[in-house]
Amino acid sequence: MRYPQGGGLTAERQAFRERVRMEAVAMFAVGRGSGEIAKELRVSVRSVQRWRQAWSAAGQDGVRSRGPASRPKLSDALFAVLEEELAQGPVAHGWPDQRWTLARIKTLIGRRFHKSMTLSGISQMLRRHGWSHQVPARRAVERDEAAVAGWVKDVWPYVETPRRRSEPGSSSKTKPDSR
């Protein structure tokens, strides 16, 4: 499994996966079959086969994890700088309101660090560092519940598309009711 931005697994999850590989190595030494090991460890047979091949070639060290496939785009030091920039707020960086969106963070990363990242990569990086999306805790003070209820009752039925008829119709757009 590959994860963007150099990882994505917590240290606990990485340690768990390493333990599973080492359990498989112990089972290889006893001579158990790949299907049996896969079923017991709840992994794919193909993974067990790859581990067995690496074990045969290089022993226990061949099965150990070599870490993430690539380094993260933003190091811990750069992410600390990004957090400082985010703490200043969007208005300090030229946006008209106080909402940080992924697109704005992407622009900020591009301006500040001259690096390009995808929106999903930014989202995953922020989650890995303990950030979460924000949802307003309450409704706006200016909200008029009576006006909203009136709109839903009076205007929405006319805006909403009518329901389909219950009697048979036609699937043809050019010849309606041609049955």
Side-chain angles (χ1 to χ4, degrees), residues 150-163:
W151 186 89
V152 168
K153 181 181 172 194
D154 299 331
V155 178
W156 178 246
Y158 297 106
V159 174
E160 183 181 31
T161 57
R163 296 183 181 258

Side-chain angles (χ1 to χ4, degrees), residues 15 26 45 80:
V45 175

Side-chain angles (χ1 to χ4, degrees), residues 1-10 14 67-72 124 128:
M1 211 179 240
R2 298 212 186 275
Y3 297 92
Q5 308 306 323
L9 297 179
T10 62
Q14 289 171 346
S70 64
R71 293 192 342 227
Q124 291 169 8
R128 263 195 315 277

